[in-house]
Amino acid sequence: MYKMMKLVDTVRIPPTLLGEEVSQTVKNALREKLEGQVDKKLGALVAICKIVEIGEGHILVGDGAVYYDVTFEAIMFVPELQEIIEGEVVETVGFGVFVGMGPMDGLLHVSQITDDFISYDAKNARLVTKNGGKSIAEGDHVRARVVAVSINEREPKESKIGLTMRQTALGKLQWIEEARKKKQSHEAVPEGAA
């Protein structure tokens, strides 16, 4: 889930930038320092939106830079348990698919895609169901539920987000639409006509 948060941090402005306009220099320094960073409790910092307040600058002995305490608003991505997400399949492997959901990827294990048996078609880089004739591959759009979250702030790429599509109204968006149309066509048939 994306959230707007008000945060506070200290930013270092090197002496070479001291002649520049302070608010823009501070915003650029914050972006360089924090955007893309992951915190276990706060999630991934996606973008710094607005500087709320810049405190008085401090100079440390032996360092010509100025340090500012800054209050700012930022957009954070925080995956939450039981949250429904929509994303694009970014990689298909033998044990499942990775789904891009903003700044992080979640794993949709083969056991969590459908009730049908699934095999990996390495030649076409896709997962195929045994009986239903359905497949899922890179570029497909899916709707899934977050069932496990383990954020690694030191190595964000090592974070693990587990997903499932084995519930009603979840799955590859194409499958959901086909099921909806099939249900509508069955409801449109008058009683006794079938």
Side-chain angles (χ1 to χ4, degrees):
M1 173 179 298
Y2 289 94
K3 296 181 179 182
M4 179 71 80
M5 293 186 178
K6 189 181 278 188
L7 304 170
V8 177
D9 199 10
T10 302
V11 68
R12 178 185 185 272
I13 305 299
T16 55
L17 298 176
L18 291 180
E20 306 292 323
E21 200 268 313
V22 175
S23 61
Q24 191 58 46
T25 305
V26 165
K27 190 172 186 177
N28 291 341
L30 274 174
R31 283 183 171 155
E32 231 176 85
K33 178 182 177 183
L34 298 176
E35 284 184 359
Q37 296 297 314
V38 175
D39 181 271
K40 216 171 201 153
K41 292 178 183 165
L42 300 176
L45 196 144
V46 178
I48 293 171
C49 300
K50 177 177 146 188
I51 302 295
V52 176
E53 181 184 348
I54 300 174
E56 206 171 293
H58 303 283
I59 299 173
L60 301 178
V61 178
D63 185 359
V66 178
Y67 292 81
Y68 292 99
D69 291 327
V70 184
T71 304
F72 59 97
E73 290 180 356
I75 297 173
M76 305 293 291
F77 176 75
V78 186
E80 295 181 359
L81 285 175
Q82 304 308 318
E83 177 182 6
I84 303 293
I85 61 99
E86 286 190 10
E88 182 177 335
V89 175
V90 293
E91 184 180 2
T92 306
V93 291
F95 56 87
V97 295
F98 289 94
V99 178
M101 38 189 230
M104 298 180 173
D105 294 344
L107 172 64
L108 193 48
H109 190 267
V110 289
S111 66
Q112 296 300 312
I113 294 175
T114 180
D115 292 333
D116 202 357
F117 179 79
I118 294 182
S119 59
Y120 180 60
D121 176 2
K123 184 177 180 182
N124 296 310
R126 64 184 186 156
L127 294 172
V128 182
T129 61
K130 184 176 182 180
N131 299 322
K134 297 177 180 176
S135 68
I136 189 166
E138 190 175 320
D140 289 342
H141 292 270
V142 299
R143 182 179 301 147
R145 180 182 303 275
V146 176
V147 292
V149 177
S150 176
I151 304 296
N152 184 338
E153 55 190 24
R154 290 190 181 157
E155 291 295 326
K157 291 290 182 191
E158 298 293 318
S159 296
K160 293 174 178 57
I161 301 169
L163 305 172
T164 185
M165 293 193 320
R166 289 181 66 176
Q167 295 173 354
T168 305
L170 302 179
K172 184 175 164 181
L173 295 183
Q174 178 186 348
W175 302 344
I176 295 169
E177 185 62 23
E178 288 169 0
R180 187 186 66 78
K181 286 180 181 177
K182 185 176 180 181
K183 183 179 178 187
Q184 283 179 340
S185 68
H186 285 299
E187 290 174 354
V189 176
E191 275 189 44

